[in-house]
């Protein structure tokens, strides 16, 4: 198949979050499977400076119609491996600056124009290169205008650019909503400025366009696909999504098993596998030492790695501070984020230095040690489109404690509900729910056989992208 992807981030070139990993792995896996894959990203300064992205094999000049103006741009193409082409859509004015979406204080004021330009640059390149794709697959709000722009260009020029379009929602909390006065820059017909089009409470919404005009819509887990059709999780778009409920499907992301595999993990003091778990004990001792605890302790170790934000349920954890103080257990948190959460966790660690440790930094290597060295991994997220750490945890024989939302619900089987196959402990996303989960963890840890069985079930799971990409192939086939 000829598959075109479009996204604002692409691992290993440009990344702020899970989107980059998902798009990078999916494109790479599809290319390995023999599909002809092209992926479009904006020419951010950080990307152009990336050593792997230097040396374009092809250069195209573009003239993009935006409203009444024609704006020039450039597309550079390079091919990192067989079957995979990366197209970088460049314009200095829009992308050659420090930062990707904004400064620490606020989003860039011209984000609306930047991403209209990016989407139009993709359409123009498909036209110029005569790329006739089977599938054009757009990820998240930055490229959510692509399906409608594509269809509009096809009508105007009488050419076929794509057989089917797919739009994937990685996080509905970010929608790309801008003042309506920029609508004319899209050159879309005026009737699309309505409630049946891009209009959203008097403004224009990129994400709404993606949801309405793509042939199929996907989310990064089945549960999240259902959740976002409800007011509680839909962030205002639940009604719009419900109109497409027949065409929405949730496909869980894979994990990069070359990086997240305890048998080959270079960040660990010792490697291990389900067959020989002795290395995990060494990792545990290493984690305890680095956290400032006695490395020999028999008490259960709870690990947590995340952005310290409301989404990740840090409030729920803090509401259960007394649990960690009053029970014989350890808590290691690796994370940065909201100042109030950092302070609260720092205070907790200062008050209970023998029990709680905070590592308030971004530390890739340490994140591997926390995953491998913990006995349990805590994820009390309020919402979670997919989530990665619960999958890493299972691969590392670290029993996940997760709230029953989104991808967490889909990828962790409760050991109480299904003792023969359970891989973790699940609970409602409340402080009380987490409390009950923590208490169940203490009990499980005291029953060594039960605990070992749950570890084994998790380690036997296959979360590879090979599996995940197959689900996308099926979806592409089905929609064609
Ligand atoms: P989100 O994209 O919402 O932040 P995900 O679970 O999809 O959540 O991905 C988060 C990724 O970032 C995980 O791989 C996690 O290990 C990593 N991560 C988060 N905080 C840190 C940190 N302080 N140090 C290292 N890695 C981190």
């Amino acid at each position: 198949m000829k598959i075109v992807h479009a996204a604002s981030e692409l691992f290993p070139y440009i990344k702020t979050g899970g989107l980059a990993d998902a798009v990078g792995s999916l494109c790479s896996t599809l290319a390995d499977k023999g599909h002809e894959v092209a992926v479009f990203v904006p020419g951010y300064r950080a990307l152009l400076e990336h050593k792997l992205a230097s040396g374009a094999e092809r250069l195209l000049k573009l003239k993009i119609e935006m409203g009444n103006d024609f704006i020039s741009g450039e597309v550079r193409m390079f091919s990192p491996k067989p079957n995979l082409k990366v197209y970088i859509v460049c314009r200095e004015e829009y992308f050659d600056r420090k930062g990707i979406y904004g400064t620490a204080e606020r989003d860039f004021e011209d984000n609306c124009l930047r991403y209209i330009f990016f989407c139009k640059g993709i359409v123009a390149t498909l036209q110029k290169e005569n790329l006739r794709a089977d599938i054009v697959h757009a990820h998240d709000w930055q490229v959510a205008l692509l399906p409608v722009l594509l269809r509009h260009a096809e009508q105007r020029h009488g050419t076929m650019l794509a057989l089917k379009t797919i739009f994937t929602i990685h996080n509905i909390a970010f929608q790309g909503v801008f003042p309506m006065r920029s609508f004319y820059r899209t050159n879309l017909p005026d009737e699309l400025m309505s409630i049946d089009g891009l209009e959203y409470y008097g403004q224009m919404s990129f994400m709404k366009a993606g949801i309405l005009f793509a042939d199929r819509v996907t989310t990064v887990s089945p549960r999240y696909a259902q959740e976002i059709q409800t007011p509680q999780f839909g962030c205002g778009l639940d009604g719009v999504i419900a109109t497409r409920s027949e065409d929405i499907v949730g496909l869980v992301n894979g994990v990069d098993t070359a990086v997240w595999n305890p048998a080959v993990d270079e960040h660990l003091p010792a490697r291990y596998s389900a067959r020989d778990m002795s290395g995990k004990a060494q990792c545990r001792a290493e984690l305890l030492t680095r956290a400032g605890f006695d490395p020999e302790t028999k008490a259960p170790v709870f690990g947590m790695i995340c952005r310290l934000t409301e989404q990740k349920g840090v409030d729920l954890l803090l509401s259960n501070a007394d649990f960690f103080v009053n029970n014989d257990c350890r808590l290691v948190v690796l994370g940065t984020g909201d100042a109030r959460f950092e302070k609260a966790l720092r205070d907790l660690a200062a008050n209970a230095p023998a029990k709680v440790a905070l590592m308030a930094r971004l530390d890739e290597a340490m994140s591997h040690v926390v995953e491998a060295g913990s006995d349990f991994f805590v994820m009390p997220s309020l919402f979670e489109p997919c989530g990665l750490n619960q999958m890493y945890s299972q691969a590392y024989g670290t029993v996940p404690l997760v709230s029953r939302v989104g991808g967490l619900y889909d990828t962790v089987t409760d050991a109480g509900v299904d003792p023969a196959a359970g891989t973790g402990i699940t609970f409602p996303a409340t402080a009380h729910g987490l409390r009950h989960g923590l208490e169940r963890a203490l009990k499980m840890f005291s029953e060594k056989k039960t605990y070992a069985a749950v570890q084994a079930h998790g380690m036997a799971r296959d979360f590879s992208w090979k599996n995940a990409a197959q689900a996308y192939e099926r979806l592409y086939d089905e929609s064609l």
Side-chain angles (χ1 to χ4, degrees):
M1 259 184 268
K2 259 193 199 168
I3 305 164
V4 172
H5 283 268
S8 173
E9 300 184 22
L10 179 69
F11 186 82
Y13 311 105
I14 190 84
K15 165 170 171 170
T16 71
L19 171 69
D21 294 318
V23 179
S25 298
L26 179 57
C27 289
S28 171
T29 311
L30 289 170
D32 289 345
K33 288 177 151 224
H35 298 290
E36 231 179 281
V37 182
V39 51
F40 285 81
V41 274
Y44 300 117
R45 182 184 296 172
L47 187 149
L48 294 176
E49 285 171 354
H50 196 289
K51 60 180 187 312
L52 294 176
S54 62
E57 293 165 28
R58 208 170 141 64
L59 233 152
L60 297 172
K61 297 277 180 203
L62 300 178
K63 276 256 174 285
I64 307 287
E65 185 184 19
M66 274 175 72
N68 308 321
D69 304 322
F70 280 87
I71 296 187
S72 62
E74 192 181 279
V75 176
R76 303 183 194 178
M77 190 281 284
F78 69 98
S79 180
K81 65 173 180 181
N83 295 339
L84 182 61
K85 290 188 170 126
V86 179
Y87 287 86
I88 311 174
V89 180
C90 305
R91 179 174 165 84
E92 279 178 28
E93 177 197 359
Y94 290 146
F95 302 119
D96 186 11
R97 59 176 80 165
K98 199 165 161 262
I100 296 181
Y101 305 121
T103 62
E105 286 75 43
R106 63 175 69 88
D107 287 348
F108 293 132
E109 295 202 346
D110 58 351
N111 274 351
C112 183
L113 296 186
R114 295 170 80 216
Y115 294 108
I116 289 175
F117 175 82
F118 178 44
C119 291
K120 288 191 163 216
I122 299 170
V123 175
T125 309
L126 295 183
Q127 277 168 330
K128 254 198 154 151
E129 294 274 83
N130 207 6
L131 253 166
R132 292 166 182 276
D134 293 304
I135 297 286
V136 168
H137 188 159
H139 301 264
D140 266 356
W141 74 263
Q142 296 89 352
V143 285
L145 290 182
L146 186 55
V148 67
L149 287 172
L150 207 66
R151 293 308 179 213
H152 183 61
E154 287 179 338
Q155 277 170 10
R156 258 172 90 176
H157 303 287
T159 51
M160 196 282 288
L161 297 174
L163 287 178
K164 293 289 172 191
T165 59
I166 312 270
F167 177 59
T168 294
I169 302 170
H170 292 259
N171 192 341
I172 200 151
F174 304 99
Q175 302 179 353
V177 175
F178 301 102
M180 197 50 116
R181 70 179 125 78
S182 296
F183 177 82
Y184 81 101
R185 298 286 203 162
T186 64
N187 301 89
L188 288 168
D190 284 347
E191 63 256 29
L192 286 180
M193 206 164 38
S194 67
I195 184 141
D196 299 321
L198 279 59
E199 194 270 337
Y200 182 74
Y201 295 101
Q203 298 193 283
M204 76 179 219
S205 165
F206 277 44
M207 186 162 270
K208 187 180 170 199
I211 294 166
L212 286 182
F213 297 108
D215 291 304
R216 299 294 296 268
V217 178
T218 81
T219 61
V220 283
S221 68
R223 182 72 168 187
Y224 193 61
Q226 291 175 0
E227 287 171 347
I228 59 174
Q229 298 182 47
T230 68
Q232 191 192 344
F233 293 99
C235 298
L237 283 176
D238 37 291
V240 178
I241 293 161
T243 66
R244 301 286 328 259
S245 60
E246 303 265 295
D247 301 308
I248 294 190
V249 56
L251 306 176
V252 174
N253 286 333
V255 307
D256 188 339
T257 44
V259 177
W260 290 99
N261 174 356
V264 298
D265 193 329
E266 294 287 334
H267 295 298
L268 305 182
R271 274 150 287 282
Y272 61 94
S273 64
R275 251 179 292 126
D276 178 5
M277 292 287 276
S278 52
K280 185 165 170 74
Q282 264 173 276
C283 297
R284 188 178 191 274
E286 172 84 13
L287 172 64
L288 288 164
T289 305
R290 292 216 211 164
F293 302 137
D294 170 13
E296 304 284 319
T297 183
K298 297 272 181 291
V301 180
F302 293 88
M304 184 160 172
I305 307 168
C306 63
R307 295 180 286 116
L308 300 176
T309 61
E310 244 181 88
Q311 178 194 337
K312 299 297 176 181
V314 186
D315 276 316
L316 309 193
L317 183 80
L318 289 167
S319 303
N320 282 292
D322 63 313
F323 173 90
F324 296 98
V325 176
N326 296 332
N327 287 289
D328 189 20
C329 62
R330 304 289 178 271
L331 171 66
V332 182
V333 180
L334 171 65
T336 60
D338 297 359
R340 69 181 169 115
F341 289 136
E342 262 189 59
K343 177 169 187 317
L345 283 166
R346 211 182 287 286
D347 290 349
L348 176 61
N351 288 335
K355 298 282 185 65
V356 179
L358 170 67
M359 302 172 178
R361 58 176 193 265
L362 271 170
D363 187 339
E364 184 71 26
M366 192 66 209
S367 72
H368 287 247
V369 177
V370 175
E371 277 293 358
S374 301
D375 300 310
F376 293 96
F377 194 91
V378 190
M379 283 182 94
S381 304
L382 301 185
F383 69 93
E384 196 63 79
C386 179
L388 291 170
N389 290 96
Q390 82 281 10
M391 294 191 270
Y392 302 156
S393 297
Q394 289 170 75
Y396 279 67
T398 301
V399 175
L401 261 74
V402 304
S403 51
R404 257 176 243 137
V405 296
L408 303 179
Y409 175 94
D410 288 319
T411 56
V412 178
T413 308
D414 192 286
V417 176
D418 188 351
T423 62
I425 292 173
T426 70
F427 51 83
T430 61
H432 185 75
L434 172 59
R435 176 60 147 246
H436 187 57
L438 289 166
E439 277 160 3
R440 285 179 60 199
L442 286 189
K443 181 157 178 293
M444 184 190 283
F445 199 62
S446 70
E447 298 161 3
K448 290 297 164 209
K449 263 181 132 164
T450 310
Y451 177 77
V454 177
Q455 280 183 303
H457 299 156
M459 293 180 89
R461 287 256 178 113
D462 180 357
F463 292 112
S464 67
W465 261 107
K466 215 166 145 232
N467 251 356
Q470 236 170 40
Y472 280 101
E473 281 179 304
R474 273 198 299 273
L475 171 76
Y476 297 158
D477 271 334
E478 220 179 271
S479 41
L480 287 169

